[in-house]
Amino acid sequence: MLHSNLGINEQGHLTFAGQDTVDLAKRFGTALYLLDEERIRANCRRYRKALRENFSADSLPLYASKALSFTGIYRIMAEEGMGVDAVSCGEIYTALKADFPAERIYFHGNNKTDEDIRYAIDHQVGCFIVDNAEELRAISAYAGQKGITQKILVRLTPGIDPHTFAAVNTGKIDSQFGQPIETGQAAAFIREVLVTEHVQLLGYHCHIGSQIFDWVPFRDAAEIVLRFSAQIRDSLGFCAQVLNLGGGFGVRYVEADPPQPDVAAYISQLAQYMRSRCSELNLPLPTVLMEPGRSIVADAGLTLYTVGGVKTIEGYRSYVTVDGGMTDNPRYALYGSPYTVMLANRMNDKADFCCTVAGRCCESGALIQENVMLPRACRGDILAVAVTGAYNFSMASNYNRLCRPGIVMLKDGQANVVVRRQTFADLTACDL
Ligand SMILES: *Cc1c(COP(=O)(O)O)cnc(C)c1O
């Protein structure tokens, strides 16, 4: 099986986190998101431990909460001693609602409005990751008005292409995020930061992309940022204490994906490299932050659907339709993301039926996956899509006025609703 929390029981049913998914579908209805709490916690602990063991004690993984955001997930992050990366006041609000400590929230975003800045400062968010000069000036002005000094990191674009999809690749020079090092803009920006009142620059941030299975792109990013740090120290006398290396560790979605990155080994290799480069550049080893999103929650998620029917277009292909679609998982429609699809109630039947899994949205590109092998499906079968914990619920929409599925958290043989399914009343709740 793709991940160790997937299995098959004596009835030939798919199990997830040790529980029978067919039973769960019956009990809670479909479409339905499942989450494996132990897996989320184990993923957090791996980063926590590796960063603590290899860097200073205050080094910290920040959960990139755009991957999956609801109050329960922030409660888990608080319990696991994680920080949180938020990209909007909606995410900050949700984290605070879960009593997540504000000082461990890092506020991202390439266009923070004046309202955003006021909200985050009023709620004592620990650190802003500043993208641009207009934002810097607005933070400075409001922090001055409040009589505080706001801690900040500056987002740099290191100019690295980690060979991922263009749509999820943000570290190269031509990007709407951050200040490019290569063009000299980053150095000029730091010069401005250092003479700006009411902000305290802690260090630098960079994020090179997503679904990265190798540690080398992170090493290259660290190299570029450390060299930049030494250059700024020499030219402006500022020495960065914090380096945030962003997120992007890959997760296996299908058998053909490379092996799952060994987070502990990668971070230890990275630390060795950074230690030696820091000593060569005569820099102190910085506090290291990382921002894993996908690799915290993706393999802790699974989506269940009920098959509505099978349509074979002779000479073309067969469609299996399910009671969800791009509303709960837009990632195939957006960028052709691969997924592993299974018939949860017939795991031991021969998968000899090639089909396309289509959702129920009125949009021809609204597919879940094409050319997958399943047992020949029929109405009432339970179809499971694995590794849906990241960027599914958080990207869900109400297109076609479909209700968003609920989330059921699985732990120790228990199943609890942590986000209820939307109702029709929710659909009109904002309509005046
Ligand atoms: C998306 C994003 C992350 C998380 O990326 P994953 O691939 O989910 O680990 C972290 N930091 C920033 C700035 C991001 O944009």
Side-chain angles (χ1 to χ4, degrees):
M1 283 285 201
L2 194 61
H3 292 284
S4 60
N5 53 2
L6 296 164
I8 303 174
N9 65 14
E10 304 93 74
Q11 291 106 293
H13 292 175
L14 175 69
T15 61
F16 186 57
Q19 301 194 38
D20 186 316
T21 58
V22 180
D23 288 350
L24 291 165
K26 233 177 259 156
R27 199 168 139 204
F28 296 101
T30 58
L32 182 70
Y33 298 112
L34 301 178
L35 283 179
D36 171 358
E37 182 170 336
E38 274 314 314
R39 179 56 60 111
I40 297 171
R41 290 181 185 275
N43 289 341
C44 292
R45 283 170 198 169
R46 196 170 302 129
Y47 278 98
R48 279 273 283 154
K49 182 162 182 285
L51 284 176
R52 232 181 356 218
E53 285 177 357
N54 289 285
F55 295 101
S56 64
D58 55 347
S59 292
L60 191 68
L62 317 174
Y63 168 58
S65 62
K66 70 180 183 196
L68 174 63
S69 179
F70 64 96
T71 46
I73 201 85
Y74 293 103
R75 270 185 227 119
I76 293 175
M77 294 306 144
E79 285 169 14
E80 292 300 330
M82 300 280 286
V84 152
D85 148 0
V87 290
S88 73
C89 289
E91 287 179 0
I92 294 171
Y93 170 84
T94 311
L96 295 176
K97 188 110 179 161
D99 291 325
F100 190 88
E103 72 270 12
R104 293 213 307 267
I105 299 178
Y106 288 68
F107 188 19
H108 261 287
N110 64 328
N111 182 10
K112 300 179 188 76
T113 65
D114 290 349
E115 237 178 347
D116 291 338
I117 289 166
R118 281 197 298 270
Y119 183 90
I121 289 179
D122 287 347
H123 290 89
Q124 294 164 353
V125 159
C127 186
F128 278 63
I129 293 156
V130 176
D131 184 273
N132 57 67
E134 294 94 324
E135 175 192 340
L136 173 72
R137 292 166 202 158
I139 294 169
S140 171
Y142 192 63
Q145 210 176 307
K146 296 275 286 187
I148 64 143
T149 299
Q150 179 62 52
K151 290 186 175 133
I152 66 167
L153 296 174
V154 163
R155 180 159 184 173
L156 305 172
T157 21
I160 285 182
D161 184 345
H163 307 295
T164 55
F165 300 123
V168 285
N169 177 350
T170 52
K172 57 183 175 45
I173 295 169
D174 179 9
S175 164
Q176 77 263 48
F177 304 106
Q179 296 289 324
I181 293 175
E182 181 111 346
T183 61
Q185 279 154 285
F189 186 55
I190 299 303
R191 187 183 295 276
E192 174 170 351
V193 170
L194 292 174
V195 297
T196 299
E197 288 183 302
H198 314 300
V199 295
Q200 183 196 355
L201 179 64
L202 301 180
Y204 309 120
H205 169 277
C206 67
H207 172 75
I208 52 175
S210 218
Q211 268 302 66
I212 304 167
F213 285 90
D214 193 358
W215 79 285
V216 172
F218 291 98
R219 180 201 68 191
D220 294 348
E223 169 67 27
I224 291 168
V225 176
L226 287 176
R227 260 193 259 153
F228 176 79
S229 184
Q231 178 208 325
I232 293 296
R233 190 247 347 252
D234 294 343
S235 58
L236 300 172
F238 169 76
C239 190
Q241 306 150 40
V242 176
L243 178 50
N244 181 334
L245 290 170
F249 275 102
V251 174
R252 280 165 62 72
Y253 283 82
V254 290
E255 293 291 348
D257 278 335
Q260 193 77 20
D262 180 341
V263 168
Y266 282 17
I267 289 178
S268 143
Q269 278 169 294
L270 195 60
Q272 261 175 39
Y273 181 82
M274 286 176 61
R275 234 172 257 284
S276 93
R277 289 298 287 140
C278 282
S279 98
E280 282 158 19
L281 294 164
N282 199 21
L283 289 169
L285 186 68
T287 292
V288 170
L289 308 175
M290 292 185 106
E291 298 170 333
R294 187 192 312 275
S295 54
I296 298 292
V297 289
D299 65 353
L302 181 104
T303 306
L304 297 176
Y305 304 100
T306 302
V307 172
V310 178
K311 185 179 291 173
T312 297
I313 317 292
E314 283 308 332
Y316 295 89
R317 60 168 139 183
S318 296
Y319 289 93
V320 171
T321 54
V322 296
D323 55 352
M326 68 181 272
T327 42
D328 59 79
N329 183 357
R331 295 190 68 255
Y332 188 75
L334 273 177
Y335 22 72
S337 305
Y339 277 103
T340 299
V341 178
M342 294 164 278
L343 275 194
N345 56 325
R346 295 165 53 194
M347 291 298 287
N348 293 331
D349 290 10
K350 201 167 156 40
D352 55 1
F353 179 55
C354 181
C355 59
T356 285
V357 179
R360 58 184 299 190
C361 302
C362 302
E363 179 75 44
S364 56
L367 305 173
I368 296 284
Q369 203 62 207
E370 291 177 279
N371 296 318
V372 294
M373 297 303 292
L374 291 176
R376 181 168 283 274
C378 55
R379 189 174 176 87
D381 280 338
I382 302 300
L383 186 137
V385 179
V387 196
T388 56
Y391 307 109
N392 275 231
F393 177 79
S394 63
M395 295 178 109
S397 75
N398 288 121
Y399 180 53
N400 289 165
R401 292 250 139 170
L402 292 182
C403 293
R404 206 176 51 210
I407 303 179
V408 169
M409 187 71 84
L410 307 178
K411 192 188 183 206
D412 300 333
Q414 302 278 88
N416 294 306
V417 176
V418 288
V419 176
R420 69 161 170 77
R421 182 185 301 284
Q422 283 185 325
T423 63
F424 292 147
D426 292 323
L427 296 177
T428 55
C430 298
D431 303 1
L432 301 177

